[in-house]
Amino acid sequence: MNITRTGSGQPLVLLHGFPLDNTLWEPLLPHLADHFDIILPDLAGFGLSPLPKPDYHLRDMAAALADLLRGLGLPRAFVAGHSMGGYVALAFARQSPEMLLGLGLISTQALPDNAERQAARHQTAAEVAAKGPGVVADAMAAKLSANPAHETLLRETILRQPVPGIVNGLKAMAARADSSDLLPGLDCPVSIVHGLADALIPPERAREMKAALSNAHLTELPGVGHMPMLEAPVETAEALKKLL
Ligand code: MLT
């Protein structure tokens, strides 16, 4: 798994969303580097991380994260995930709760896909396999951020992602487990961040997670879309520092 590492303090893993890579966290890093030893993986099939095998599930990505942390000599870490990365963070919380110092859930949700969404993901996966990453760049680049100034960066980042990784990511998200049952039993601190102008995952999903958790803080960001690390890096970093 390719990682970038920066900063000093307690270990914090930041897991990027779909179909992106670890470079998307850059605007957040100056605001966190004095507080955390920040570990930035490229999830399997994205950025510079190869896809180990076809049908590599989000739970496999979570298990690979546990192996990575053990390999780095880190028995425990804060783990924060954005959107798809949040699904992986929730899978990690289920598999390895003893390794979790605290959880960050940014623009994500505990609920799984319904049947309609699963079918749409499989159709998009077939289109990407046939036509390449332009299919998802066209569908997503303009919708991800509420700030049109981010569209070019997002489009370029999506167009760099390997087709097998995008296809696998779509199928893995469609197959992901419902994490709702996990939330009431989670006893580590949780910080939830959600843009109120998120066009992909409605803010209600964040409020539902907050209500189900016993030790959670919710930061709602007015006018912010699906990309708080780009759109509101200071506020997003402040929310993650609340985990300390
Ligand atoms: C993401 O931003 O990671 C994905 O769009 C999330 C999703 O499609 O469920």
Side-chain angles (χ1 to χ4, degrees), residues 18 54-57 113-131 135-136 163 166-176:
F18 171 91
D55 298 324
Y56 196 76
H57 287 270
D113 281 2
N114 60 25
E116 189 186 348
R117 187 90 182 102
Q118 286 175 328
R121 300 249 204 225
H122 283 278
Q123 187 180 334
T124 306
E127 285 172 24
V128 171
K131 297 184 196 151
V135 172
V136 271
V163 165
I166 299 177
V167 169
N168 181 73
L170 285 161
K171 292 180 181 170
M173 287 194 287
R176 75 184 186 277

Side-chain angles (χ1 to χ4, degrees), residues 50-231:
L51 190 63
K53 61 179 182 70
D55 298 324
Y56 196 76
H57 287 270
L58 301 184
R59 61 176 177 273
D60 299 321
M61 298 184 195
L65 173 59
D67 287 344
L68 171 81
L69 291 172
R70 280 189 285 265
L72 293 172
L74 299 170
R76 301 184 79 198
F78 294 97
V79 176
H82 168 245
S83 202
M84 178 184 74
Y87 309 156
V88 176
L90 286 164
F92 181 85
R94 186 185 295 283
Q95 290 171 12
S96 306
E98 74 290 350
M99 297 183 76
L100 203 53
L101 289 171
L103 184 63
L105 297 170
I106 304 169
S107 315
T108 193
Q109 60 187 334
L111 290 178
D113 281 2
N114 60 25
E116 189 186 348
R117 187 90 182 102
Q118 286 175 328
R121 300 249 204 225
H122 283 278
Q123 187 180 334
T124 306
E127 285 172 24
V128 171
K131 297 184 196 151
V135 172
V136 271
D138 290 346
M140 293 180 75
K143 279 208 314 204
L144 283 166
S145 173
N147 181 347
H150 296 133
E151 184 177 342
T152 303
L153 170 73
L154 289 162
R155 171 175 289 279
E156 286 170 358
T157 308
I158 295 171
L159 290 175
R160 279 205 301 273
Q161 304 310 314
V163 165
I166 299 177
V167 169
N168 181 73
L170 285 161
K171 292 180 181 170
M173 287 194 287
R176 75 184 186 277
D178 186 349
S179 295
S180 308
D181 65 313
L182 176 76
L183 302 181
L186 264 189
D187 53 9
C188 66
V190 182
S191 185
I192 304 170
V193 180
H194 216 96
L196 293 180
D198 190 325
L200 274 80
I201 299 179
E204 287 71 31
R205 297 290 92 77
R207 294 179 192 141
E208 288 158 8
M209 291 195 293
K210 158 90 172 105
L213 285 155
S214 59
N215 188 10
H217 185 276
L218 170 60
T219 303
E220 295 190 322
L221 300 169
V224 169
H226 192 61
M227 303 301 296
M229 76 294 281
L230 300 181
E231 300 177 64

Side-chain angles (χ1 to χ4, degrees), residues 17-28:
F18 171 91
L20 305 168
D21 61 30
N22 69 4
T23 61
L24 260 292
W25 294 109
E26 269 161 29
L28 199 59

